[in-house]
Amino acid sequence: MQIPPEVRARLRSLRFGTRFLANGLGLGQHLGRSRGAGLEFEQYRSYEPGDEPRRVDWKLYARSDRFFVRDATRESPLCVWVLLDATASMAQADRSNPKWSKLAAAKQLCACLVEIAAAHGDAVGLIAITGGGIRLIPMGSGARHRDRLLLELEQIESAGAWPVEARLTSAWERIEPDSLVVVISDGFDALLPVFAARLAAARRQVISIGLVSREEREFPFVGGYVFRDPETGDECRVDAAAARTDYLARFSESRIDLRRRLGASGIPHVDHCIDEPADQPLRRLLGGSRWEQGSARAAPRRA
Amino acid sequence: MIALLAPLGLAALAALLVPLLVHLVRRSDEQVLPFAATRYLRERHHPRERLRLHEPLLLALRLLLIASLAVLLAIPAWRHKQAPAAPWVVVAPGVSAETARAAQPAALGEWHRLAPGFPPLAANAPSDTAAFSSLVRELDAQLPAGTPLTLIVPEELGGLDAERLALAHTVDWRVVGGASPRPAAPSADAAPLPLAVRYDAAGAAELHVARALAAAWAARGIPLALDIAPQDATLPAPPAWLIWLAGPLPPAVEDWARRGGRVLASRQVTDLGEAVITDDNGAAVLRARELGLGRSLSLAAPLQPAELAVLLQPEFPQTLFALLSAPSREPDRAAARDVAPRSFGSAPADPVWRLDAGVALWIAVLFLVERVFSTRRKVRA
């Protein structure tokens, strides 16, 4: 999966925020929520029985006659699961660029996420959900794992409709608590928000990117058309120009509804038009000050 | 001015319906498009069913093509509108200029002679009476419509043909005294008729029969000036008679005959002319042929009794004389008052150029353009 050079350049400034940290397993490059011994000063706290004597700040003891222990932030690794919707509706493409389907755009987003994770030593796994079943590439990190992921990504093809809940059990089992789940879909399947909400409720951090094609967003059709739903096969025979207003109203309403439903479960959601650069939704989801604790490193809070 | 010579051809314009129907029938082809967001569409707005024409430019081309074909069937022509010219007064041969001017109460316009090219009256034109009717018709076709035309003809009018004159112009037909000059013809008048006999080596054996024929005619009181000489001796000026005993007629002799000579030739291998005398088997013995003002009689056999049984018949010289002296033409003279031309008046005889070739070329170009348009890659919006 090719990432355009300018997008790749902009990816460098992106990283997964501390909110998504795994629970203190191993050493990573992210500022951890758990504190302890380490290089970066985080805070002072009062001595408790059991603390090692060498962690007591003796200079502070000399000034205040009380025992304080220096806490440092722990740098932790992050687990990122990319949940890719590969149902038949993801094959939708604009007629102006028929090869650039939503699935292709989603693959590029995946590749970007994998690159971001690889750049910061985070572990990435991929779950592609098609009508036929689940394709799962287990969690891993490093350059070799990244290459394997990108290779596997190429072979994913869209088919079928969103599977029933029971078939998603293996995905359930793999996604461990406190990992970050990035859902990339078109948001048309009603079951997907339900699945995402359940993940969020079970202590997984979920963020969602909804892909929209330009034709879906602007409906530039004129004349008689028979529109066919690729998943259900339903056909709708309309005069496009006349149906436009009604369609646009219902479509934007459905997008707002989707964002509201996800937001209710604490899942941030952005819509991404597939002919826009891939780093845009990532910047809005990852780059915002909402989760990125960049200031913590530069100016540590002092007690 | 463009005119249609066969206006019924425009009925082909009915074929204009065909492309119209073709372009209408195809109106309902709707595109089937896979569209993931179909669930947000409602079948409330059906495609409008109003009559629509697909590819209006191509339709216009096809209509134009068929209309052009219909015009081609109707035979378009360019009619050159001519302004009426000054009145013409045309004087037929046989009427002198003085007589003509006397017959005309007032000089109405240009004076011309009825001769090829219609020269002015003053010019000294050769008077050829042979084709009076033909010349009058030519004049009628040439003169712009509406030109007043006066024809001054002699009482005894020659050069007519079998068709009564019918002209587009209204003709003022004035008859004056006189007669059309007659073509020079042999006549049994006081001057003896020159009878030349030309022979070659083989023809020398036939000379005695030629002499006998001349004697037979002379015995009937026809004065003849007999001139017997070898074949390359000069011929008397026509009108004269010639008995040619020297094989095939050379062109010079035929030319001589055209100027009014009458030729009897033996030993002719020809199938030209009408068989006048046939033998018992139906083979032509004697053929007669008009040659210009003169006539030639061709005998298949040598002029010898042994070869030509018909020579022995007593009435043969008389038959031959009748054939040689008969008038060379169909009767072409009549009283001028009786042959005044009819006028069919209404139709102006403007010159007409047919435009078929141009229209056909135009249709070919249109057809090519139509093909290019209808087979080009369809780019849909």
Side-chain angles (χ1 to χ4, degrees), chain A residues 28-29 42 57 75 99 125 132 138 154 167 194 199 202 244:
Chain A
Q29 294 178 14
E42 173 70 23
D57 191 330
E75 292 174 336
K99 285 187 178 167
E154 289 288 343
R167 300 187 61 181
V194 178
L199 279 174
R244 183 166 187 267

Side-chain angles (χ1 to χ4, degrees), chain B residues 150-204:
Chain B
T150 306
L151 270 172
I152 302 178
V153 293
E155 263 179 337
E156 189 188 334
L157 188 59
L160 298 167
D161 57 17
E163 175 85 24
R164 174 91 182 262
L165 282 172
L167 305 179
H169 289 81
T170 313
V171 175
D172 183 6
W173 183 258
R174 292 195 177 231
V175 182
V176 298
S180 293
R182 288 169 182 280
S187 54
D189 52 6
L193 180 70
L195 171 62
V197 179
R198 295 288 181 268
Y199 62 93
D200 59 1

Side-chain angles (χ1 to χ4, degrees), chain B residues 184 186 193-198 225 227 231 233-245 249-265 289-297 324 328:
Chain B
L193 180 70
L195 171 62
V197 179
R198 295 288 181 268
D227 162 26
Q231 56 174 324
T234 53
L235 292 168
W241 291 13
L242 170 65
I243 298 178
W244 184 260
L245 305 174
L249 277 183
V253 177
E254 283 192 0
D255 282 347
W256 176 82
R258 280 196 179 86
R259 282 181 278 132
R262 307 286 167 102
V263 183
L264 171 68
R289 177 157 71 109
E290 299 293 331
L291 271 177
L293 294 174
R295 172 178 298 168
S296 95
L297 300 178
L324 279 172
S328 63

Side-chain angles (χ1 to χ4, degrees), chain A residues 6 47 57 64 79 102-103 120 154 175 206 211 271 289 296:
Chain A
E6 67 274 12
Y47 173 81
D57 191 330
S64 63
C79 296
K102 284 186 186 178
L103 188 69
H120 299 100
E154 289 288 343
I175 304 175
V206 184
L211 299 180
D271 271 344
S289 57

Side-chain angles (χ1 to χ4, degrees), chain A residues 9-301:
Chain A
R10 290 196 291 263
L11 286 182
R12 256 181 236 145
S13 60
L14 288 177
R15 59 187 351 233
F16 298 110
T18 46
R19 191 185 167 199
F20 312 126
L21 281 184
N23 206 9
L25 305 167
L27 286 171
Q29 294 178 14
H30 295 278
L31 298 175
R33 266 184 297 167
S34 57
R35 295 165 182 89
L39 297 176
E40 286 289 320
F41 171 80
E42 173 70 23
Q43 64 179 7
Y44 287 114
R45 62 172 170 81
S46 49
Y47 173 81
E48 286 171 12
D51 279 340
E52 289 177 55
R54 63 186 174 98
R55 294 185 60 200
V56 173
D57 191 330
W58 295 107
K59 286 181 180 169
L60 193 58
Y61 168 71
R63 271 183 274 140
S64 63
D65 202 20
R66 293 174 69 172
F67 294 113
F68 283 99
V69 176
R70 290 172 66 102
D71 259 2
T73 51
R74 275 178 46 180
E75 292 174 336
S76 308
L78 186 64
C79 296
V80 182
W81 280 103
V82 180
L83 190 69
L84 179 61
D85 172 9
T87 52
S89 61
M90 288 292 279
Q92 180 72 34
D94 286 335
R95 283 177 305 173
S96 56
N97 191 0
K99 285 187 178 167
W100 189 243
S101 65
K102 284 186 186 178
L103 188 69
K107 286 176 177 177
Q108 196 182 59
L109 276 172
C110 286
C112 290
L113 288 168
V114 170
E115 291 289 345
I116 295 174
H120 299 100
D122 299 324
V124 198
L126 175 71
I127 299 171
I129 297 174
T130 69
I134 291 177
R135 190 183 182 95
L136 193 143
I137 297 139
M139 186 67 71
S141 60
R144 282 181 61 110
H145 181 73
R146 178 192 65 185
D147 294 345
R148 179 185 162 210
L149 251 173
L150 295 181
L151 198 64
E152 294 274 351
L153 208 53
E154 289 288 343
Q155 294 161 8
I156 294 171
E157 305 222 334
S158 58
W162 189 265
V164 288
E165 190 77 31
R167 300 187 61 181
L168 299 176
T169 1
S170 59
W172 261 112
E173 289 162 355
R174 288 302 191 105
I175 304 175
E176 53 278 88
D178 279 326
S179 55
L180 171 65
V181 182
V182 185
V183 179
I184 302 175
S185 72
D186 54 10
F188 290 167
D189 299 289
L191 289 176
L192 186 132
V194 178
F195 183 67
R198 291 182 59 175
L199 279 174
R203 265 186 69 208
R204 277 78 170 172
Q205 290 298 328
V206 184
I207 59 179
S208 164
I209 300 174
L211 299 180
V212 180
S213 75
R214 183 159 293 282
E215 282 177 352
E216 283 167 359
R217 207 170 63 175
E218 296 175 358
F219 207 66
F221 304 105
V222 176
Y225 280 93
V226 177
F227 293 106
R228 175 182 292 146
D229 191 312
E231 285 182 21
T232 59
D234 290 345
E235 286 191 352
C236 186
R237 189 168 155 270
V238 294
D239 183 72
R244 183 166 187 267
T245 323
D246 183 47
Y247 164 83
L248 287 181
R250 294 187 63 183
F251 183 70
S252 63
E253 188 190 329
S254 83
R255 301 314 286 187
I256 293 169
D257 183 54
L258 176 70
R259 191 180 311 141
R260 195 174 44 74
R261 281 173 64 192
L262 289 171
S265 314
I267 304 171
H269 171 85
V270 291
D271 271 344
H272 169 51
C273 191
I274 57 174
D275 55 359
E276 286 169 355
D279 61 318
Q280 221 171 61
L282 300 178
R283 186 168 298 281
R284 283 163 66 194
L285 282 174
L286 306 178
S289 57
R290 200 162 153 198
W291 300 293
E292 179 62 41
Q293 307 282 316
S295 56
R297 196 183 277 255
R301 293 190 301 272

Side-chain angles (χ1 to χ4, degrees), chain B residues 260-338:
Chain B
R262 307 286 167 102
V263 183
L264 171 68
S266 68
R267 288 180 279 140
Q268 298 297 309
V269 184
T270 177
D271 53 357
L272 293 175
E274 178 196 0
V276 183
I277 302 174
T278 52
D279 61 10
D280 297 339
N281 300 327
V285 173
L286 180 67
R287 288 177 180 274
R289 177 157 71 109
E290 299 293 331
L291 271 177
L293 294 174
R295 172 178 298 168
S296 95
L297 300 178
S298 307
L299 282 166
L303 201 59
Q304 297 218 20
E307 306 279 347
L308 202 61
V310 74
L311 270 185
L312 302 176
Q313 293 176 2
E315 71 274 16
F316 180 70
Q318 189 56 35
T319 311
L320 209 55
F321 180 80
L323 282 171
L324 279 172
S325 61
S328 63
R329 303 179 167 277
E330 302 294 324
D332 64 349
R333 301 176 81 83
R337 292 180 207 291
D338 300 333

